[in-house]
Amino acid sequence: MDKMIEHGLLYDFYGELLTDHQKELYEKAVFEDLSLGEIASDEGISRQGVHDLLKRCNKALEDYEEKLGLVKRFYKIKEKVGKIHKLADEGSPSDDTLNMIRKLADEIVEEL
Amino acid sequence: MDKMIEHGLLYDFYGELLTDHQKELYEKAVFEDLSLGEIASDEGISRQGVHDLLKRCNKALEDYEEKLGLVKRFYKIKEKVGKIHKLADEGSPSDDTLNMIRKLADEIVEEL
């Protein structure tokens, strides 16, 4: 996956675990797409300082994913929800179809 | 909710974010139900030391829930899955029922 999107997703799930300062810099870099130089001059720190801080943020976010796996879980549940949709789209679903819907719903809880 | 169950649940969701030593003590106290004195003698630290460490663990777990809200989310999704089940239990579901199932499935993704 594109590194930028991947980190954006990690931030969506774990951003609250970063410090306010980390969040501020991270949002400038990833969401406002400012350059290291621009952030450095905004924050009154060196380009290298910004670079190191962002690298530490990415590492922290990746570590959280390694431990909690919320992004991975998100994709798995999204897939199951997609399947429920598809089954519910069958005009008059058979008992088998309804059973599959129930099973998928249970699997969602098991993922949590 | 019972404090013990609540902390057990918090541990299920955030335990991986504790250190190995914290996890060890926590499991002895909450899951093996050992007394402070027993853990203290196992670990070769004081009763007060065990007490403080467990208190810090609980605080850390509560802080994670405050920030990420995974336990709260778990209950919300479980409720929606229960509703999907109930709707799928209707023998030959109407279009409205199928729409509700689709809507609930979408709401689950939105909770994530």
Side-chain angles (χ1 to χ4, degrees):
Chain A
M1 200 194 308
D2 179 74
K3 259 297 196 222
M4 211 65 171
I5 297 177
E6 191 189 325
H7 281 132
L9 250 179
L10 288 175
Y11 185 81
D12 285 343
F13 280 90
Y14 305 109
E16 283 308 310
L17 300 178
L18 300 179
T19 66
D20 287 341
H21 187 231
Q22 285 177 318
K23 279 196 267 188
E24 190 187 319
L25 262 77
Y26 204 83
E27 291 187 2
K28 283 182 179 172
V30 175
F31 299 110
E32 299 174 34
D33 206 23
L34 299 185
S35 69
L36 291 185
E38 287 169 311
I39 300 172
S41 96
D42 269 15
E43 300 283 326
I45 55 177
S46 68
R47 266 181 105 268
Q48 184 64 39
V50 176
H51 176 265
D52 292 349
L53 212 145
L54 291 173
K55 209 173 150 183
R56 271 202 301 281
C57 286
N58 282 335
K59 176 79 173 64
L61 296 173
E62 287 162 10
D63 285 350
Y64 285 127
E65 175 63 11
E66 180 88 16
K67 286 174 177 164
L68 299 185
L70 297 180
V71 175
K72 212 168 135 191
R73 178 186 297 176
F74 169 74
Y75 283 115
K76 280 193 186 168
I77 292 180
K78 226 182 138 183
E79 196 197 325
K80 292 184 194 299
V81 164
K83 286 184 184 167
I84 289 177
H85 255 270
K86 232 174 152 176
L87 292 167
D89 284 342
E90 293 185 14
S92 320
S94 66
D95 283 353
D96 276 356
T97 300
L98 293 172
N99 273 335
M100 277 191 277
I101 289 176
R102 272 190 289 262
K103 195 167 166 279
L104 284 162
D106 287 340
E107 285 172 13
I108 288 171
V109 174
E110 282 159 26
E111 285 293 340
L112 295 173
Chain B
M1 202 192 310
D2 180 75
K3 260 297 196 224
M4 212 63 172
I5 297 177
E6 190 189 327
H7 282 132
L9 249 180
L10 287 175
Y11 185 81
D12 284 344
F13 280 90
Y14 305 109
E16 281 308 309
L17 300 179
L18 300 179
T19 66
D20 286 342
H21 186 233
Q22 285 178 319
K23 280 195 269 189
E24 190 186 320
L25 262 75
Y26 204 83
E27 291 186 4
K28 282 182 181 174
V30 176
F31 299 110
E32 298 175 36
D33 206 22
L34 299 186
S35 70
L36 291 186
E38 286 168 312
I39 301 173
S41 96
D42 270 14
E43 299 284 326
I45 55 178
S46 68
R47 267 181 104 269
Q48 184 64 38
V50 176
H51 176 264
D52 293 348
L53 212 145
L54 291 174
K55 208 173 150 185
R56 272 202 302 281
C57 286
N58 282 335
K59 176 78 173 63
L61 296 174
E62 285 163 11
D63 285 350
Y64 285 127
E65 175 63 12
E66 180 90 15
K67 286 174 177 163
L68 299 185
L70 298 180
V71 174
K72 212 167 135 190
R73 180 186 295 175
F74 169 74
Y75 283 115
K76 281 193 186 168
I77 293 180
K78 225 179 139 186
E79 196 196 326
K80 291 183 194 300
V81 164
K83 287 184 183 168
I84 290 177
H85 255 270
K86 231 174 154 176
L87 291 167
D89 283 343
E90 294 185 14
S92 322
S94 66
D95 284 351
D96 276 357
T97 301
L98 293 171
N99 272 336
M100 278 192 276
I101 289 176
R102 271 190 290 262
K103 197 169 164 278
L104 284 162
D106 288 339
E107 285 172 9
I108 288 171
V109 174
E110 282 158 27
E111 285 293 341
L112 296 172

